[in-house]
Amino acid sequence: MTPSQSLIARTSLGTVAAIVCFLVSSSARILTLTKRRFDSLVIGGMIVTRLLLYSLIFLVLRIPVRGDIPAGYVPEGLSALRGLMVYRDYISSYAPLHSYLDAIFLYLWRSPLSVILFAVAAEWLIIPLWLKVSRDILPERIVRIAAVLYLFSPLSIQYVTVDGQDNVVIAVLLVLAVMLLFRSRVALSALCVSASIATFKFLPLVYVPSFFGAAGKRRWLWLALFAIPTFLLYGAFYVLHSPILYPLQHEGALQKASDLPFVVDVIVGRMLPAHLWDGLVVLALAAMVALILKTMHSMDLKSRIRILTYSMPALMLIVLLLSKKSWPTYFMMVLFPLCLLIANLSVAKRAIFFLFSIVAVTEHSFWTIKLQEVDAVGLHSILALHNSTAVLFMALEVALLAGYVWLLVLFTRTIISSRETQYQTSSNQPLH
């Protein structure tokens, strides 16, 4: 399959998934099923659809694995299998334990398909875990629609089953952390968040303030139990002369499409200072954290958990919008909470979200395949020549950023109104 054919297939699959998602989530039938019947169908559907698609793509059609897995996961995992030290003996953009985890799957099956299969299997846990949590904090109607939205989500299908992105494993650890905190298992909750940072990437750090606030009177215990194992692990690698800050230093120097800094640089025709955007990200995150903690103050545990659930996509949207190196696959960390919000929108607004989903799964591949990952200054020059491919890509960029802003506004309003909003299990009113 050529790169152009891959892009067409990706767009087609995302479009079909979005249409099916819209039709099924709009059906009244999903609300009339018994709880046991609904759970069996949605959880079974998750397992069957992902296994069938995985088998069709990689075992029947034998389409080669693309993206981060052959470029990063596999060579780093093989280096770990040879007993080499991460950062010191081979470079990695991920957390210290990432390549050692990949090494386990490559040891069992020396194929990049083993890494994708792990991500697919890990995702099977998302819906049952979130069903347990969300039913305690939101109406059954919203929970069921959200589960169906996730089941047929183009984002889930493309980024996990096709691309094998292990951001979904972070999502599993985060929902476990939320569920355990709700059940007053503070230590285990903190360890789950710590494990996500030790094994995958630094990015889940943005959620720590929300968990801190949601822990209530036990917030300092939660923070200590999160910090101690994190520092011990990174400290151990430091003692072994592994440059643990390499991922931050390396990633901090990169700029990718799919974010506001890239679009602004394209418009002005030069690269604005990186520290300018870094400062904006920090300020925006600080403002959102202040809002989250203020809203959580003096609320009961159930309300704090609900705000925690909605705060995670809000914080991620700020990163996606303002960070100079971000792309839509980060949505996988918080996709189910995102679906919970979308489930309470009107049908028309849900349709807008499905259009946004198609853009999200297409835009970055379009940049990679059609424009060879041209930088912002180069794209500015191409646009000056009225190149149709560049113009279409900029339209995709603007649509993606507009979707980020729209969703961020919705989540911010939801958090602000959390004190006054009364969630009734029989409510059928959409969120405006």
Side-chain angles (χ1 to χ4, degrees):
M1 179 179 288
T2 67
S4 294
Q5 290 172 333
S6 174
L7 178 61
I8 293 171
R10 190 180 188 89
T11 305
S12 301
L13 179 60
T15 302
V16 170
I19 293 172
V20 172
C21 195
F22 176 75
L23 294 174
V24 178
S25 65
S26 302
S27 171
R29 173 65 175 162
I30 62 176
L31 304 178
T32 61
L33 298 170
T34 64
K35 187 179 292 186
R36 182 175 181 178
R37 178 64 172 164
F38 175 82
D39 290 1
S40 298
L41 286 174
V42 75
I43 295 171
M46 186 72 186
I47 296 172
V48 171
T49 56
R50 287 353 184 232
L51 272 182
L52 285 176
L53 185 59
Y54 173 90
S55 301
L56 175 64
I57 292 173
F58 300 114
L59 303 181
V60 178
L61 299 178
R62 297 187 178 276
I63 295 174
V65 179
R66 307 170 68 92
D68 288 345
I69 290 180
Y73 294 14
V74 171
E76 292 172 21
L78 293 176
S79 295
L81 270 180
R82 294 196 296 270
L84 301 180
M85 175 67 69
V86 67
Y87 311 139
R88 187 191 67 188
D89 302 324
Y90 61 93
I91 62 173
S92 175
S93 298
Y94 308 102
L97 298 182
H98 188 274
S99 55
Y100 299 100
L101 179 65
D102 289 336
I104 296 173
F105 310 126
L106 292 170
Y107 175 79
L108 296 173
W109 181 16
R110 194 66 63 92
S111 167
L113 297 182
S114 63
V115 181
I116 298 180
L117 185 59
F118 167 67
V120 169
E123 193 182 25
W124 295 341
L125 299 173
I126 292 288
I127 289 181
L129 288 173
W130 270 114
L131 285 175
K132 288 181 179 294
V133 175
S134 54
R135 278 187 170 128
D136 289 333
I137 59 175
L138 290 167
E140 180 70 15
R141 178 184 67 87
I142 295 176
V143 173
R144 291 195 180 194
I145 295 174
V148 171
L149 290 174
Y150 192 103
L151 172 61
F152 296 105
S153 169
L155 299 169
S156 165
I157 292 171
Q158 293 279 8
Y159 290 142
V160 182
T161 311
V162 178
D163 296 340
Q165 287 287 328
D166 58 12
N167 288 311
V168 72
V169 188
I170 300 177
V172 173
L173 291 169
L174 289 174
V175 64
L176 281 171
V178 174
M179 184 175 68
L180 290 165
L181 185 60
F182 199 16
R183 286 155 176 72
S184 299
R185 307 293 294 273
V186 175
L188 291 176
S189 172
L191 287 174
C192 284
V193 180
S194 178
S196 70
I197 295 167
T199 309
F200 297 99
K201 56 189 65 176
F202 287 110
L203 196 52
L205 277 171
V206 300
Y207 308 128
V208 169
S210 292
F211 279 96
F212 175 79
K217 294 181 179 179
R218 306 179 74 183
R219 60 175 66 93
W220 292 109
L221 176 61
W222 189 96
L223 187 62
L225 294 171
F226 158 78
I228 291 172
T230 305
F231 283 122
L232 286 176
L233 175 76
Y234 278 88
F237 276 90
Y238 179 78
V239 169
L240 293 171
H241 306 290
S242 177
I244 57 176
L245 295 181
Y246 175 82
L248 285 178
Q249 295 165 346
H250 175 68
E251 297 292 315
L254 297 178
Q255 185 188 56
K256 297 287 187 179
S258 313
D259 48 63
L260 185 60
F262 185 86
V263 171
V264 171
D265 287 350
V266 170
I267 293 171
V268 301
R270 65 187 183 91
M271 307 286 279
L272 295 180
H275 60 77
L276 170 66
W277 295 110
D278 293 340
L280 285 175
V281 172
V282 171
L283 288 174
L285 287 173
M288 180 58 70
V289 166
L291 173 63
I292 292 165
L293 295 181
K294 180 181 178 181
T295 307
M296 285 181 176
H297 183 66
S298 300
M299 300 186 78
D300 60 24
L301 178 59
K302 178 179 178 179
S303 299
R304 294 198 305 271
I305 294 297
R306 185 168 59 240
I307 296 170
L308 169 62
T309 299
Y310 283 134
S311 73
M312 292 191 292
L315 292 164
M316 181 51 61
L317 282 162
I318 290 173
V319 173
L320 287 167
L321 182 64
L322 298 178
S323 174
K324 61 186 181 298
K325 195 270 178 182
S326 64
W327 59 312
T329 184
Y330 292 166
F331 266 132
M332 287 314 305
M333 300 183 205
V334 292
L335 182 56
F336 199 97
L338 176 62
C339 291
L340 287 171
L341 178 73
I342 301 303
N344 206 28
L345 294 176
S346 64
V347 174
K349 289 183 179 179
R350 254 185 260 161
I352 294 173
F353 175 73
F354 295 134
L355 292 175
F356 166 79
S357 298
I358 297 171
V359 171
V361 299
T362 304
E363 170 271 342
H364 204 82
S365 293
F366 191 97
W367 178 59
T368 301
I369 294 171
K370 293 295 187 180
L371 293 169
Q372 302 299 309
E373 298 193 16
V374 63
D375 64 18
V377 176
L379 185 56
H380 176 85
S381 300
I382 298 173
L383 283 169
L385 300 175
H386 305 289
N387 181 280
S388 59
T389 301
V391 171
L392 176 57
F393 175 67
M394 283 302 293
L396 290 173
E397 287 285 276
V398 171
L400 182 71
L401 298 186
Y404 287 163
V405 172
W406 174 57
L407 291 171
L408 181 57
V409 169
L410 288 177
F411 275 107
T412 304
R413 288 178 177 174
T414 301
I415 292 169
I416 291 173
S417 63
S418 291
R419 286 186 178 276
E420 294 78 25
T421 303
Q422 297 296 316
Y423 290 91
Q424 301 294 337
T425 57
S426 60
S427 173
N428 289 309
Q429 296 299 317
L431 179 68
H432 297 288

